[in-house]
Amino acid sequence: MKHFFFPAALVAWGLGGCTASQPTATTSSATSAAVSTTAPPAPAAPSASAVSATDSNTTDEQPQDHKLVIYQMMTRLFGNKTAANKHYGTLQENGVGKFNDINNTALQAIKKMGVSHVWYTGVLEHATMTDYTKYGILLDDADVVKGRAGSPYAVKDYYDVDPDLAVNVKTRMQEFEALVKRTHDNDLKVLIDFIPNHVARTYKSDAHPSGVVDLGAQDDKTKAFVPNNNFYYLPGQSFVVPAGYQPLGPLKGPREDGKFQEVPAKATGNDVFSATPSVDDWFETIKLNYGVDYQNGRQQHFSPIPDTWLKMRDILIFWTKKDVDGFRCDMAEMVPVEFWAWVIPELKKVKPSLVFIGEAYDAKTYKMYIERGHFDYLYDKVGLYDGLRRLMRGEGNTEEITRVWREESRGFSGHMLRFLENHDEQRIVSKEFAGNPRAAIPAMTVSATLGTGPVMLYFGQHVGEPALGSEGFSGADGRTTIFDYWGVPEHQKWMNGGKFDGGRLSDDQKRLHDFYTRLLTLSASSNAIRQGQFYELQDANNLGQEYNKREVYTYVRYTDKQRLLIVANFSLNQTYRPTLVIPREVQQRMGLNPEHAHTYTDLLNQAPAVESLRLTLAPQSAYIFEINEKK
């Protein structure tokens, strides 16, 4: 997109003061509250059940501080300054980011947003159509590669890094090790991917340590399943490339002929036990065998410990000794929980502070993967993300937020990682999602402050990257490609030729970036957000005038050191002017004296303190008030 702009009526994103007036919807600041100093009507006393021992507005979860602030970057794209963006372009045509592009300046710019951890996505060597044969790396067959650059989740060598990311391919591992040290020197921690469920069809490690036996090297390929085999086989059958697959569209890929030699065929990564997977399957990958016989009632063979378990443990130890601080584990639920229950404690013997984050989508298994599997955190995708997405599109209501904390993650919400964007999801500003960066203001505020668990930001999100265009394998779908060589235009404006100062951003983008910085910095530093109790105020305010329970969401987070009131208005176009109620019993829970007057200071929008909760809530806005007794 050549011109990045927002409608004039939505431009006021700056800091807002508090006045006694009530601005109209077209003049209200999108991130500031106009709070009347007129005394509000006396609140009605809450019912006896409102704050009872079995209060449905809160949980008995004991908060623990898990407030990681994670910045996910697609490493290949992050530092790329080339803006050619040719459809199916080569590395030489479209450019590629390097480890060295993530220098001290870049890391400090990330750190200033309140970030504690950087997830370097796509570090491991994976299948690609780029030719690195002169460096001793086998050329992949385009018939089993997705995209010119290739999917980072089709790993070709667990013990190596992507040669694309190195200035000098021969010293690629040293360049990665330097990045790890540089990240730590900038007071940030390092997360990388661990892809345990599947590997590329062309998997062959040429960088493994001496004595390591490669995956599949000792498999009995005459049998469909053997507990100690690393892969699943289809004896007597040959793999067939999906009919009609065109790796580079109208162009020709390396070794492309519609064939790929694999005899016997192996099961495909998304549990397809067929020699003829479809073009919609993960046909470029093969499934790893953890001792589960899928074709015989999922019989489990976990004793003695399967060979794949041991190999995966050794791979994790290898990267842990490279001084990484944690792993985002791809499709963790496709690997038996028994493996995680064994391997995570094994790794924490090596480095107790390691963090394990599981990509998970089945809410019914969340508790099991946390308690039995020992995961530190799991994706909150099908609950909070999906609910917030509907709200951001004007399709849902705030009851979906209530359902998440009250039912879906009750008792372990501090272990749920919240986000609005990642490499799998559509960009907020894309027409396929919300089409408007302001939609993120209430949703991201809830994501960051609802619980004590981690929150994640995807690169480019904080400047409203819309993911326009069809990159190649990744079509025009509202996502930033993970398969192609590409420049990310709005992110490149923030990068500003390597200055990482946002120098080429529009005023609107700078305001958006400032919002994310304020929110994430506050989330990282606030005692109440990091380790406070939670209490929802929907029931307390439901009968109030101008309080639309479907679109406005209100709650408190508090400790004995800090008390916060968080208010979010998800409406796409409606300004609300409620007088909020915090019941006496809730004030007492928070350590406040209901007989005393209080002040309310909007920390998120850096507004002056006021003495009333008669608010003006602009469309798509959010507020974080610190409550103090008036002196």
Side-chain angles (χ1 to χ4, degrees), residues 307-352:
D307 184 69
T308 301
W309 290 28
L310 300 171
K311 283 183 165 61
M312 293 296 108
R313 178 201 59 187
D314 292 346
I315 289 162
L316 286 165
I317 290 174
F318 174 85
W319 292 105
T320 299
K321 290 184 175 179
K322 296 289 183 187
D323 209 18
V324 305
D325 300 292
F327 301 92
R328 178 269 187 188
C329 301
D330 187 71
M331 299 307 297
E333 290 174 322
M334 295 185 76
V335 173
V337 68
E338 290 83 0
F339 166 73
W340 299 114
W342 172 78
V343 80
I344 291 177
E346 286 286 298
L347 264 293
K348 292 196 175 186
K349 293 176 186 176
V350 179
K351 188 173 184 176

Side-chain angles (χ1 to χ4, degrees), residues 209-228:
S210 175
V212 171
V213 177
D214 209 9
L215 286 169
Q218 296 179 340
D219 281 6
D220 180 352
K221 300 178 183 180
T222 67
K223 295 183 176 65
F225 171 81
V226 175
N228 268 343

